[in-house]
Amino acid sequence: SFTIGDANYLDETGHYYIYVEDFEVTWSQARDLAEGLTYFGLQGYLVTITSEGENQIAAVQLNNFGWIGGSDEGNENDWRWVTGPEGLENGGSGVPFWSGNGSGSGGSAVNGMYSNWNGTNEPNQSGNEDYAHVTSPNVGEIGSWNDLPNPGSGGDYQAVGFIVEFGGMPGDPILNLSSSTSLLAPSISVINTFSGCQNNYSGLEAESNTENIYWYDSPICLLYTSPSPRDKRQSR
C-alpha cells in the first residue's frame, strides 16, 4: 500500500497505523495518549487487531513491541478489545476475543475471533497482567502478543511504546490518502524432470503462473551494457 504521511495503510480495513516510542509508558497512559492523536482528522486509539492482515501491518511490519488495545481488567480472563470502535460496542465493555489463559491451559478464542498470543502459555496472568502487549522479538515470534501489568515489567518485558490505529471512529472524516496494488510473485512448477545420459534430451516440462517461461542452456545469465547506459539487455 501507498499512503500520504508516515503511517502504514491497510486496504482491508481502510485504517492507518503508526508506532509511538515512549519508554516506560504504562498501558493506561498509552491509551490516553493514543486518543489524543489525530491523523488528517482521524481519531487515534490503541490498535485493535482483529485479523492476520491487520496484525501483519500493525505488529509485524512496524517491527516494534508495545501496548495494544486488549485488556481483561474488567473481568479476569475475559479478554476484550476495549479501545477504538470495538471498545464502544456492547455498551462500552468492548468486543471479546479470548477467554481464559493460554491455549495450553484451556483458553480459547471467542466466536472465532483472531488472536496471536506468543506460544501456548500466553496470556498467563502472572502478577496481575491485565493488558495486551506485542511481544519483544527477543522472547517470541515477531508480532505475537503477551499480557503485562499496567506499568509493564523489565528487560524484554519493559514497555517502550505503543501502536496507534486511525479510522472507523464516529465523526471521522472521509479521506482518500492511500492506494494499494497487487504484486505477482512468479513461480515455476516442474511437471517432468530431465532424465537421460550423455546430454541426450529426454523431455522437460514446466508450468508457471506467468505468461511465459524462458529456457536457458546455461546456469549463468549474463548482463551487459551497450555504449548507451539506457540500453541494457539480458542474453539468454
Side-chain angles (χ1 to χ4, degrees), residues 18-22 25-26 29-31 33-35 37 45-47 62 65-68 160-164:
I18 65 170
Y19 178 80
V20 177
E21 292 185 0
D22 194 339
V25 64
T26 67
Q29 288 171 340
R31 176 198 59 201
L33 289 169
E35 292 174 357
L37 298 176
Y45 50 92
L46 277 185
V47 64
L62 287 175
F65 55 105
W67 297 117
I68 58 179
V160 297
F162 53 96
I163 304 167
V164 185

Side-chain angles (χ1 to χ4, degrees), residues 12 28 178:
E12 174 187 319
S28 57
S178 309

Side-chain angles (χ1 to χ4, degrees), residues 2-218:
F2 307 89
T3 181
I4 298 173
D6 57 359
N8 286 344
Y9 172 74
L10 181 61
D11 187 62
E12 174 187 319
T13 60
H15 294 181
Y16 302 83
Y17 307 83
I18 65 170
Y19 178 80
V20 177
E21 292 185 0
D22 194 339
F23 186 69
E24 293 189 342
V25 64
T26 67
W27 184 90
S28 57
Q29 288 171 340
R31 176 198 59 201
D32 295 343
L33 289 169
E35 292 174 357
L37 298 176
T38 59
Y39 188 75
F40 292 96
L42 299 176
Q43 172 68 48
Y45 50 92
L46 277 185
V47 64
T48 57
I49 302 175
T50 59
S51 71
E52 182 177 356
E54 194 168 22
N55 194 70
Q56 180 70 28
I57 202 165
V60 176
Q61 187 167 319
L62 287 175
N63 196 25
N64 276 299
F65 55 105
W67 297 117
I68 58 179
S71 174
D72 72 340
E73 178 185 23
N75 187 17
E76 195 76 358
N77 293 326
D78 176 17
W79 285 92
R80 294 174 179 252
W81 296 117
V82 294
T83 58
E86 288 81 3
L88 300 175
E89 296 189 26
N90 297 315
S93 64
V95 174
F97 67 92
W98 186 265
S99 178
N101 286 327
S103 58
S105 302
S108 61
V110 176
N111 297 325
M113 288 286 287
Y114 176 80
S115 64
N116 191 40
W117 296 109
N118 180 28
T120 60
N121 294 324
E122 298 287 353
N124 55 28
Q125 295 293 349
S126 176
N128 199 30
E129 296 181 333
D130 293 333
Y131 306 95
H133 186 266
V134 173
T135 309
S136 166
N138 296 327
V139 294
E141 184 178 348
I142 294 176
S144 62
W145 316 340
N146 63 302
D147 56 333
L148 289 177
N150 188 43
S153 186
D156 289 324
Y157 300 95
Q158 174 68 58
V160 297
F162 53 96
I163 304 167
V164 185
E165 181 176 356
F166 303 89
M169 291 294 287
D172 275 352
I174 298 175
L175 301 179
N176 185 19
L177 304 175
S178 309
S179 63
S180 60
T181 187
S182 297
L183 302 177
L184 174 65
S187 65
I188 293 179
S189 301
V190 176
I191 300 176
N192 294 321
T193 58
F194 175 83
S195 62
C197 61
Q198 297 180 346
N199 295 324
N200 292 322
Y201 174 73
S202 62
L204 180 65
E205 294 181 88
E207 61 182 8
S208 174
N209 61 345
T210 59
E211 182 177 354
N212 298 310
I213 297 178
Y214 297 96
W215 298 92
Y216 299 83
D217 58 6
S218 169

